[in-house]
Amino acid sequence: MEPVRLSKRMAELGLCSRREADEYIAKGWVRVDGVVVDVLGSKVLPTQRIELQRQAQAAQAQRVTILINKPVGYVSGQAEKGYEPAVVLIKPDNLWAGDKSGLRFSRDHLQGLAPAGRLDIDSVGLLVLTQDGRVAKTLIGEDSDVEKEYLVRVTGRLPPDGLALLNHGLSLDGERLKPARVEWQNNDQLRFILKEGKKRQIRRMCEQVGLRVVGLKRIRIGRITLGELPQGKWRYLRSDERF
């Protein structure tokens, strides 16, 4: 049984992200088998017990996750090609009146806030930004299998085997795609449920079967739905909500 870096093991256990783990270790907020470990790069065996001290738990409790109904024309992450990032929408006057988190907006909530998954500039709907490494790992970690659901308006004619190919049978960038769930919602709209998120995946999948996407909206990530959140507005993830 090989020892592994403590920060890596903490991330594997879902205690926090590796970046957060290094921060907690350096501050002496981590115990291994009851003993404080404060040396970065320390290694542990998979069988050893790892605990976060109160200070680390308090720091995690203060980290926020924000849900935005992203409009067209905003990028998910860093500003690019003259387009603004969705984070600029997070300001007090854009907070949805229906927010029931009990949290009050603070400038601190913008520090270290990063998108947990992409939504391209031409797409709308649910976008998650978080300060919490646990949330990011759940949604975009290598072993994440959280479902993302989309309503996709298309034009073109689908060949007889097109729907079957969309469900399972296509490849992108030389890699076979994971099975998806794709069905007609109405005459010109498909419902996609994916467990992965390659760049412009749905648009590229549709192109392979002769369809062109003219509208794309993400309506659900895991157990969290877009619900009644208006376009351009945002709300906090409540403490009782889980992806």
Side-chain angles (χ1 to χ4, degrees):
M1 193 178 296
E2 289 292 319
V4 296
R5 285 179 69 102
L6 175 56
S7 57
K8 182 174 186 285
R9 181 61 179 154
M10 290 169 66
E12 287 173 351
L13 292 171
L15 295 173
C16 56
S17 70
R18 291 182 72 164
R19 180 181 57 79
E20 290 164 346
D22 283 338
E23 175 190 339
Y24 298 158
I25 292 165
K27 290 180 176 177
W29 292 353
V30 180
R31 289 180 182 270
V32 178
D33 290 341
V35 178
V36 171
V37 175
D38 58 5
V39 178
L40 292 176
S42 296
K43 293 192 173 185
V44 295
L45 293 170
T47 54
Q48 291 186 277
R49 189 177 81 257
I50 302 169
E51 299 170 289
L52 296 180
Q53 300 216 70
R54 277 186 304 103
Q55 300 98 314
Q57 294 170 3
Q60 285 185 323
Q62 292 173 4
R63 290 194 164 95
V64 300
T65 295
I66 286 172
L67 313 174
I68 302 179
N69 186 344
K70 188 189 87 66
V72 166
Y74 290 86
V75 292
S76 299
Q78 298 294 318
E80 57 182 79
K81 299 175 184 173
Y83 293 105
E84 291 186 302
V87 71
V88 303
L89 296 169
I90 302 174
K91 47 192 176 182
D93 55 350
N94 271 354
L95 177 62
W96 181 38
D99 180 280
K100 293 182 172 62
S101 67
L103 294 170
R104 294 187 63 178
F105 176 76
S106 164
R107 301 295 300 179
D108 290 343
H109 294 164
L110 299 176
Q111 299 299 316
L113 197 63
R118 292 186 297 261
L119 195 58
D120 69 51
I121 194 167
D122 300 315
S123 301
V124 303
L126 185 58
L127 178 67
V128 177
L129 293 98
T130 187
Q131 295 177 321
D132 193 330
R134 296 168 299 177
V135 172
K137 183 176 186 294
T138 296
L139 299 187
I140 57 175
E142 288 181 10
D143 56 351
S144 173
D145 64 351
V146 174
E147 289 185 346
K148 287 94 174 174
E149 184 173 348
Y150 305 80
L151 295 179
V152 184
R153 200 166 296 282
V154 294
T155 61
R157 185 181 295 276
L158 193 66
D161 63 344
L163 197 60
L165 285 171
L166 287 171
N167 276 273
H168 195 209
L170 299 178
S171 298
L172 290 178
D173 306 322
E175 290 184 12
R176 193 168 175 82
L177 295 174
K178 293 180 181 178
R181 283 159 56 199
V182 185
E183 61 189 18
W184 285 107
Q185 180 77 359
N186 52 47
N187 289 338
D188 66 348
Q189 193 173 55
L190 290 161
R191 178 185 299 270
F192 275 72
I193 298 177
L194 305 179
K195 288 190 175 183
E196 59 189 332
K198 293 184 180 295
K199 190 172 183 179
R200 298 179 76 84
Q201 177 171 338
I202 290 175
R203 295 175 190 276
R204 294 162 70 198
M205 289 173 71
C206 287
E207 285 172 6
Q208 289 191 33
V209 293
L211 298 176
R212 185 170 74 87
V213 173
V214 294
L216 191 154
K217 181 178 186 178
R218 183 158 61 202
I219 60 172
R220 178 174 65 87
I221 299 177
R223 292 198 290 259
I224 303 300
T225 62
L226 187 62
E228 298 176 353
L229 183 63
Q231 195 166 111
K233 298 291 186 179
W234 64 275
R235 72 173 180 89
Y236 290 105
L237 185 74
R238 300 192 311 269
S239 60
D240 64 329
E241 291 182 304
R242 296 289 183 275
F243 289 99

